[in-house]
Amino acid sequence: MLIVLSPAKSLDFESRPTTKLTTTPDMLERSGALIDVLRGYSPGQIADLMKLSDPLAMLNVARYATWSPEPKDARQAIMAFNGDVYHGFDARTLKPKALAFAQTHMRILSGLYGVLRPFDLIHPHRLEMGTRLPTAGAKDLYSFWGDSVTERLNEAIAANGAETLVNLASEEYFKSVRPKLLPVPVVNPVFEDWKDGKYKIISFYAKRARGMMARYAAEKGIVDAQKLKRFKVDGYAFSKRDSTDSDWVFRRKL
């Protein structure tokens, strides 16, 4: 089983990491090419491109200016990302064995780095996969990365003998993957909450649940995706009646 996650906009480069293990992103040369393009944009242009406030645009222009492929001042992706998914995953409280499992069985899709392993070192940045950033020969990041994201996932699938890819990423990020080029089926866990008389996806809760499921897999050492149907965390439970072979629905009614 291979799990894919989205990155997070929020970053934590202040808290102390709980592991000293690090790896180097596989696609740094291409990341550098994107940074070179971004360095040509003014703060106002970045604000327009990414729909950011002026202070956030200026912050990210400064980040692009100081970005480097070198590991100095970098941090493991799993320790740096700090959004809702990663609050659910809570990497800092995982034991070394669970973190090692994540390194083998999890990948993080990234607008800047393509595909990351949990221990891959990253620098502060913001570049969402859906950004319409034109580069030489590509109109946006989906075109820029092309099949290379899928190729990296296929390498991970072959390396750990995965028989299923579990998509815990957002639609924006999973659009960078070519499912038809994967050698294994894709399963999409869906998390729904009861509200206003019906079950619906509530973004905040669904994001946290994705992280909790990834954590559940890491703690249990799950390699057979079917065992994820046993996931019962924070009130969620698998609904066989509402699921299909590819979309697994987990519901809770608080």
Side-chain angles (χ1 to χ4, degrees):
M1 178 179 71
L2 185 72
I3 292 173
V4 294
L5 296 171
S6 303
K9 298 175 186 176
S10 300
L11 301 171
D12 179 359
F13 276 75
E14 303 298 328
S15 302
R16 186 184 297 275
T18 57
T19 179
K20 294 182 179 180
L21 297 175
T22 65
T23 47
T24 301
D26 288 329
M27 309 167 88
L28 274 179
E29 184 174 342
R30 304 202 72 190
S31 302
L34 288 173
I35 290 293
D36 286 343
V37 172
L38 289 165
R39 284 174 175 165
Y41 282 68
S42 69
Q45 290 172 320
I46 289 294
D48 290 340
L49 178 70
M50 301 186 181
K51 306 298 187 291
L52 300 179
S53 66
D54 289 343
L56 271 179
M58 293 180 68
L59 170 64
N60 283 286
V61 166
R63 286 171 169 175
Y64 306 143
T66 59
W67 186 92
S68 168
E70 301 301 318
K72 183 181 179 181
D73 299 325
R75 172 163 294 197
Q76 303 99 327
I78 201 65
M79 298 289 168
F81 291 128
N82 195 37
D84 298 328
V85 171
Y86 295 89
H87 291 166
F89 189 74
D90 197 9
R92 287 180 175 78
T93 63
L94 283 175
K95 295 180 179 179
K97 184 177 180 180
L99 287 173
F101 179 92
Q103 175 74 356
T104 300
H105 296 276
M106 281 176 48
R107 294 294 183 268
I108 303 167
L109 307 177
S110 166
L112 179 60
Y113 291 94
V115 178
L116 290 164
R117 292 165 292 187
F119 294 162
D120 280 353
L121 290 171
I122 65 171
H123 287 278
H125 67 282
R126 181 159 177 164
L127 184 61
E128 297 176 59
M129 188 65 81
T131 303
R132 292 184 176 275
L133 177 70
T135 58
K139 64 180 181 179
D140 55 24
L141 293 179
Y142 296 116
S143 299
F144 175 84
W145 289 113
D147 293 341
S148 61
V149 166
T150 307
E151 290 166 0
R152 286 293 184 274
L153 295 181
N154 284 344
E155 290 172 4
I157 287 167
N160 70 27
E163 296 182 354
T164 308
L165 186 142
V166 179
N167 173 26
L168 290 173
S170 67
E171 181 179 355
E172 173 188 354
Y173 280 88
F174 200 70
K175 279 174 62 178
S176 67
V177 179
R178 312 280 199 254
K180 292 183 179 179
L181 299 181
L182 295 170
V184 296
V186 175
V187 166
N188 306 291
V190 179
F191 300 95
E192 298 180 345
D193 283 84
W194 182 262
K195 185 177 181 180
D196 298 331
K198 62 181 179 180
Y199 284 104
K200 61 177 69 176
I201 296 172
I202 301 175
S203 179
F204 169 76
Y205 295 127
K207 289 177 181 178
R208 287 183 64 91
R210 291 177 200 154
M212 290 188 292
M213 177 169 279
R215 179 187 177 93
Y216 176 81
E219 287 186 309
K220 303 281 187 185
I222 295 172
V223 295
D224 178 1
Q226 290 292 328
K227 292 184 179 180
L228 291 178
K229 292 178 178 178
R230 302 174 186 173
F231 176 81
K232 292 184 179 180
V233 177
D234 207 30
Y236 287 102
F238 177 65
S239 176
K240 182 178 180 179
R241 182 184 63 182
D242 300 290
S243 300
T244 66
D245 289 344
S246 59
D247 295 333
W248 294 359
V249 177
F250 295 80
R251 288 179 164 175
R252 70 174 178 178
K253 191 173 184 179
L254 297 179

